[in-house]
Amino acid sequence: MQQTVDVVGAGLAGSECALQLADRGVRVRLHEQRPVRMSPAHHTDRFAELVCSNSLKSTKPETAAGVLKWELDTMGCHLLSIARDCSVPAGGALAVDRERFSSAVTEAVSSHPLVDVIHEEVTQIPDGPAVIAAGPLCSDALFQAISKAVGEGSMSFFDAAAPIVSAESIDRSIAFSQSRYEENAAGDYLNCPMERDEYDAFMDALLSAERVISRDFEQADLFCACQPIEEVARTGHDSIRFGALKPVGLTDPRTGRRPWAAVQLRAENARRTAYNLVGFQTNLTWPEQRRVFRMIPGLAEADYLRYGVMHRNSFVDSPHALDATFAIPGTQVRLAGQITGTEGYVEAIASGLLAALNTYAELADLPYPELPQTGALGSLVAYATNPATVGYQPMHVNFGLVPPLEDAPRRKDDRRRRMAERARADMASFVGERRDLFPIAGQESVS
């Protein structure tokens, strides 16, 4: 195919999109603004850099996140395969060594003979065919151009990242290795247990700590899956003890009983030299992070490799601003990734893959793909492109978007298993029927 497509942004969506188009014989010009212009959240110039967490969520086949991974495998996803090669232990979740992952994606994209990488800031919408996968932190100039093209239907929300501490600074006489309910006997997480008085003192300090953005947030300003730990704490004294600090399934080896609360730490890399404070996205100032988080038992001497940060994420009102293929109406320009409001790492990868399929179908004069709405990705796409959607907000894949089962079982676990089975069967049929779109897919899927 003697066509060239401009892809703007080498994040998760842009990298997957570029590889998928190139695999189908389409030449790609991949535009990445880093290192010419850095974003508030990125730290390197590598592709697909993960800025919030290193977890790609559950791999369990009966979960929506697990179904999405199965669907992507079936469609021949590149980045998910790379993620598994760069994985670190995380119980029933897929977590990656961030540096290895971004380096591997950068190498895969840069070495593809049909991908030309251009390091520059794009400030205007390309003529097309093009895919804009610049992410929610794209430059102000580009986002203004997008807003002008789609109308003033753009919105924004605050997102946050958790701090990372050095492994050697964690007090292992207090922090213990264990997964909840011993799902993995090796214990993929470190746990910092809290007694009741320690938890109460920590809550008092957390709620009174100085924040970077001092105004009180409205609930609509915060993306629910990445709310700062201090904002969750404001909803009730025990709110984080039943959330990120829940102690269920854990036994403190020092006492032989369940702690009052527990902070979990997840390895950032395969060498386990750095740990992420799970659920500790924060808006506290850096000095306050040092002061307050060192009150956590086991972290009194914590050495911070990266402090938590908060930044504004922008997205467009996709159901009303874009067409059913996420294209700006009347153009050959599509949006992909979190800028469309499909929130989550794997969702961003999936969005990039779908953008490649829609663009390829248009170039090859093929019917656009119509994903089964019974699946994880298809139901998310249906939500994000339905003009009847009111009050559009960023959304992860979840079974609440999936059409209900006929004769649904009463037990939730049985319903989810049936939904997952239906989703896998329908996606397998879809890929089998659309060999014109999937010349490289159809291999045995990873279950």
Side-chain angles (χ1 to χ4, degrees), residues 52-111:
C52 181
S53 168
N54 70 329
S55 175
L56 276 66
K57 300 198 299 187
S58 178
T59 59
K60 296 180 180 179
E62 70 279 6
T63 64
V67 170
L68 178 59
K69 292 178 178 65
W70 191 96
E71 292 175 346
L72 291 178
D73 286 326
T74 303
M75 291 189 286
C77 180
H78 283 278
L79 265 63
L80 195 54
S81 176
I82 294 173
R84 291 194 180 95
D85 290 340
C86 301
S87 64
V88 296
L94 173 59
V96 300
D97 181 316
R98 291 192 213 221
E99 294 185 2
R100 282 181 57 206
F101 176 70
S102 60
S103 294
V105 173
T106 303
E107 171 61 23
V109 174
S110 301
S111 63

Side-chain angles (χ1 to χ4, degrees), residues 9-10 35 39 71 73 165 182 198 285 317 331 364 379 382-383 398 434 439 445:
S39 82
E71 292 175 346
D73 286 326
V165 298
E182 291 292 341
E198 294 171 325
T285 65
D317 186 6
T331 75
S379 61
Y383 164 78
N398 64 85
R434 292 303 307 268
S445 301

Side-chain angles (χ1 to χ4, degrees), residues 1 3-7 13-30 78 112 114-115 129-131 334 352-363 439-440:
M1 179 176 288
Q3 297 276 6
T4 299
V5 174
D6 288 290
V7 176
S15 295
E16 182 68 35
C17 182
L19 289 171
Q20 292 291 338
L21 285 170
D23 280 348
R24 289 162 173 80
V26 179
R27 180 164 290 281
V28 176
R29 285 191 298 257
L30 179 61
H78 283 278
H112 200 294
L114 290 181
V115 178
V131 175
R334 288 181 172 78
L353 195 159
L354 180 60
L357 294 180
N358 279 317
T359 301
Y360 176 74
E362 187 171 69
L363 296 176
I440 59 172

Side-chain angles (χ1 to χ4, degrees), residues 230-420:
E230 63 274 10
E231 297 302 324
V232 179
R234 293 180 199 286
T235 64
H237 187 76
D238 286 321
S239 56
I240 60 175
R241 197 169 70 85
F242 288 95
L245 274 67
K246 62 183 179 185
V248 294
L250 299 173
T251 302
D252 185 347
R254 298 178 304 165
T255 64
R257 56 181 173 79
R258 186 175 76 181
W260 182 254
V263 176
Q264 287 204 305
L265 311 178
R266 181 178 58 236
E268 275 287 308
N269 53 39
R271 303 185 307 278
R272 299 196 181 198
T273 59
Y275 280 82
N276 181 294
L277 276 67
V278 178
F280 269 67
Q281 298 88 354
T282 185
N283 177 42
L284 299 187
T285 65
W286 290 3
E288 290 290 72
Q289 289 183 48
R290 287 195 299 270
R291 179 181 70 86
V292 176
F293 295 162
R294 282 180 173 176
M295 295 176 67
I296 299 170
L299 299 184
E301 303 296 328
D303 179 17
Y304 287 84
L305 303 179
R306 187 195 76 183
Y307 288 100
V309 293
M310 175 169 278
H311 50 83
R312 181 181 288 276
N313 277 359
S314 299
F315 64 102
V316 302
D317 186 6
S318 295
H320 307 105
L322 305 176
D323 70 16
T325 71
F326 291 97
I328 297 174
T331 75
Q332 286 186 298
V333 178
R334 288 181 172 78
L335 271 59
Q338 293 189 42
I339 198 169
T340 66
T342 52
E343 178 65 26
Y345 285 155
V346 182
E347 288 85 343
I349 295 171
S351 177
L353 195 159
L354 180 60
L357 294 180
N358 279 317
T359 301
Y360 176 74
E362 187 171 69
L363 296 176
D365 197 23
L366 298 171
Y368 290 120
E370 295 185 9
L371 299 176
Q373 295 187 19
T374 52
L377 181 55
S379 61
L380 180 64
V381 168
Y383 164 78
T385 57
N386 184 359
T389 299
V390 178
Y392 183 62
Q393 287 291 312
M395 183 73 74
H396 290 289
V397 293
N398 64 85
F399 283 135
L401 298 175
V402 176
L405 295 164
E406 295 183 7
D407 301 321
R410 295 183 62 183
R411 294 183 67 251
K412 181 173 69 175
D413 290 347
D414 291 337
R415 288 198 303 274
R416 289 182 174 178
R417 185 177 63 255
R418 284 265 306 276
M419 284 182 172

